[in-house]
């Protein structure tokens, strides 16, 4: 049985400051937890509130992987949960914070997806999910981005967090310096750029920048971008959602 | 000043059954309301809670368009609002419910986007936003879809509702019958189809079907589909979000 003080602690992880301080978070639901086990995340405990058959697969896998299991009451489950219709199974996991850019020692990757001030946690999660779908596992966030381990972000990322190979978070100046020093082709999504479907990649080393939901990509980055790309449409709507624009551009880049 | 009984009524519109019964809904925020005025929606009243400069553009446009204005208190605004950080300006609008399929009298359109059991209101809104971006203004929903005028759907659609030309909601059997009778090329998004980027459209009359978040496109539709399309990826993730898959396929169809 889970201890009272543990429940208290897990409830505290609903707050951003405690997640950041402790570098721990609660993830919910069978599917996500099975993925966390499969992809060897650091799971401190799996907490569930029913001995029903429904959780037997997770319990068996937890035992095989020496992950501690703890029962909790329905009431406790409701307190821990961040969702309305909780599945009432949770994993208490540790995570590493995104690193700062390491200007010269950072391993050079072919591609980076750069999220510049993404503020909606659902969008952030969806974008990470798409990045993982296309195999773009190296991500850079500007300091203005929403928290990587926000519960809504985790939920909409559907396990993409477990596939990220490198993730950095830094200020825009350092990110630009890094990209320029390493000769990345900087591709920015914008509403007034070249037509995406006519665009030919000129470099194997590219970095795609997706901007804030209302402001778009920062001026500083736009100034240094090698190309800005626009998705043509019918011109009645002001913009596409940034996650949609990101998906479409990643699709196009993936198939070049 | 808004009347007490009106506030009570507007609060009732937070519930689906009252929205359906009265075919009315509250939309929130300056941008959306300006769009509603611009695109001639049926606005019964605009309700705002401050005489500040910030709302003067809307108030002027409302007057020009003979739309009634009403002040409300901050407390009332909080009661009406569906969001955490309300902008405290609302439009009370009427809408028409989606029609049933009219088997033979229905105006034939070149393309339809068919949403088959989309259950998440945010996804529904995002998909409608993308449809509008690409100029796909004819939509068919299966009966299993989430409500078209759910406040979250309206929020994430960002005004796409105002551009839809025709929207139908019916059971899958009638939808299939309509598509077959009118020789539509039925294109279904799926995880095991042909590669999207190799696909060549063979007809100008096509209907793209996007399926439920966890079940995908219904078996009945898959059986009748002319082609199922898959977005290639890196194979670690189980699936893409349906709104992302939809955006990518619409982009591809738009550029064929």
């Amino acid at each position: 049985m889970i201890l009272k003080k543990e429940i208290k602690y897990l409830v505290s992880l609903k707050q951003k400051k405690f997640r950041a301080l402790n570098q721990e978070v609660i993830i919910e639901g069978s599917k996500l937890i099975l993925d966390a086990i499969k992809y060897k995340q650091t799971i401190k405990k799996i907490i569930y509130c029913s001995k029903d058959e429904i959780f037997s697969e997770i319990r068996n896998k937890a035992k095989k992987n020496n992950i501690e299991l703890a029962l909790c009451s329905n009431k406790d489950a409701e307190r821990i949960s961040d969702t309305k219709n909780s599945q009432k199974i949770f994993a208490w996991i540790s995570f590493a914070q995104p690193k700062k850019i390491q200007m010269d020692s950072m391993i050079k990757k072919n591609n980076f997806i750069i999220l510049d001030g993404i503020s909606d946690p659902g969008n952030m999660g969806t974008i990470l999910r798409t990045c993982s779908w296309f195999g773009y596992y190296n991500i850079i966030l500007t300091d203005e981005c929403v928290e990587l381990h926000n519960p809504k972000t985790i939920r909409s990322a559907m396990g993409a967090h477990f596939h990220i190979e490198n993730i950095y978070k830094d200020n825009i100046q350092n990110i630009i310096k890094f990209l320029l020093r390493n000769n990345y082709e900087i591709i920015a999504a914008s509403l007034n750029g070249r037509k995406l479907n006519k665009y030919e990649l000129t470099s194997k080393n590219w970095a795609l920048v997706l901007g804030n939901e209302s402001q778009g990509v920062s001026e500083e980055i736009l100034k240094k971008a090698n190309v800005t790309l626009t998705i043509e449409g019918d011109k009645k709507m002001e913009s596409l959602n940034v996650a949609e624009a990101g998906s479409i551009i990643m699709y196009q880049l993936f198939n070049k």
Side-chain angles (χ1 to χ4, degrees), chain A:
Chain A
M1 200 77 191
I2 191 121
L3 303 174
K4 266 197 175 169
K5 65 171 186 186
E6 289 177 312
I7 293 290
K8 205 176 153 191
Y9 172 74
L10 297 179
V11 172
S12 82
L13 294 181
K14 286 186 174 182
Q15 292 176 60
K16 182 180 165 184
K17 66 174 174 184
F18 291 112
R19 289 193 293 270
L21 188 70
N22 299 296
Q23 309 208 8
E24 293 185 348
V25 72
I26 286 294
I27 63 171
E28 293 191 48
S30 302
K31 217 167 163 180
L32 201 55
I33 295 172
L34 283 170
D35 259 13
I37 299 172
K38 183 173 172 189
Y39 294 106
K40 309 284 176 201
Q41 301 301 295
T42 311
I43 303 175
K44 295 192 84 168
K45 230 170 237 194
I46 288 173
I47 300 124
Y48 63 109
C49 73
S50 146
K51 293 201 168 181
D52 279 0
E53 197 53 31
I54 184 177
F55 296 143
S56 62
E57 186 187 354
I58 292 191
R59 283 159 57 203
N60 289 337
K61 289 204 170 150
K63 281 174 199 160
K64 258 188 209 158
N65 290 275
N66 292 318
I67 298 165
E68 210 178 318
L69 284 157
L71 253 173
C72 74
S73 67
N74 272 308
K75 216 174 159 183
D76 287 337
E78 273 165 35
R79 290 182 61 205
I80 304 173
S81 174
D82 188 63
T83 59
K84 268 189 196 164
N85 301 305
S86 175
Q87 284 188 42
K88 298 188 178 165
I89 185 158
F90 311 91
W92 168 3
I93 68 173
S94 302
F95 61 80
Q97 292 284 13
K99 291 165 279 187
K100 292 263 168 203
I101 296 269
Q102 294 132 25
M103 204 54 71
D104 294 303
S105 64
M106 194 159 129
I107 300 157
K108 249 195 94 185
K109 295 290 169 183
N110 283 343
N111 317 121
F112 278 102
I113 308 291
I114 299 176
L115 307 186
D116 176 16
I118 298 296
S119 67
D120 179 87
N123 279 344
M124 169 80 102
T126 303
I127 295 172
L128 295 175
R129 183 175 173 186
T130 305
C131 290
S132 266
W133 178 265
F134 287 116
Y136 299 134
Y137 302 118
N138 299 290
I139 316 277
I140 302 177
L141 312 175
T142 63
D143 284 335
E144 290 71 25
C145 278
V146 66
E147 182 204 8
L148 181 64
H149 290 92
N150 178 297
K152 275 190 199 158
T153 304
I154 294 178
R155 225 161 29 241
S156 61
M158 296 282 279
H161 285 79
F162 311 148
H163 302 304
I164 295 171
E165 289 171 8
N166 293 288
I167 188 154
Y168 302 91
K169 191 169 191 175
D170 213 325
N171 62 54
I172 291 181
Q173 291 69 34
N174 280 343
I175 294 170
I176 292 175
K177 214 189 271 180
F178 167 77
L179 295 174
L180 294 178
R181 195 177 291 193
N182 293 287
N183 293 315
Y184 279 95
E185 168 142 338
I186 304 174
I187 304 168
S190 124
L191 287 168
N192 313 297
R194 285 169 53 188
K195 292 176 188 174
L196 172 64
N197 68 318
K198 303 272 186 246
Y199 170 67
E200 296 290 340
L201 257 181
T202 56
S203 164
K204 273 195 174 180
N205 296 315
W206 53 260
L208 169 64
V209 191
L210 302 172
N212 171 270
E213 286 84 350
S214 53
Q215 312 296 326
V217 172
S218 315
E219 268 306 316
E220 298 108 293
I221 296 182
L222 284 178
K223 272 184 210 157
K224 302 293 184 186
N226 298 80
V227 62
T228 59
L229 293 179
T230 297
I231 298 156
E232 272 201 294
D234 195 45
K235 307 206 166 51
K236 279 195 192 167
M237 295 293 289
E238 201 173 282
S239 65
L240 267 174
N241 176 297
V242 60
E244 311 315 298
S247 293
I248 291 169
I249 301 176
M250 284 187 241
Y251 165 75
Q252 188 74 306
L253 293 170
F254 181 85
N255 286 293
K256 283 291 177 195

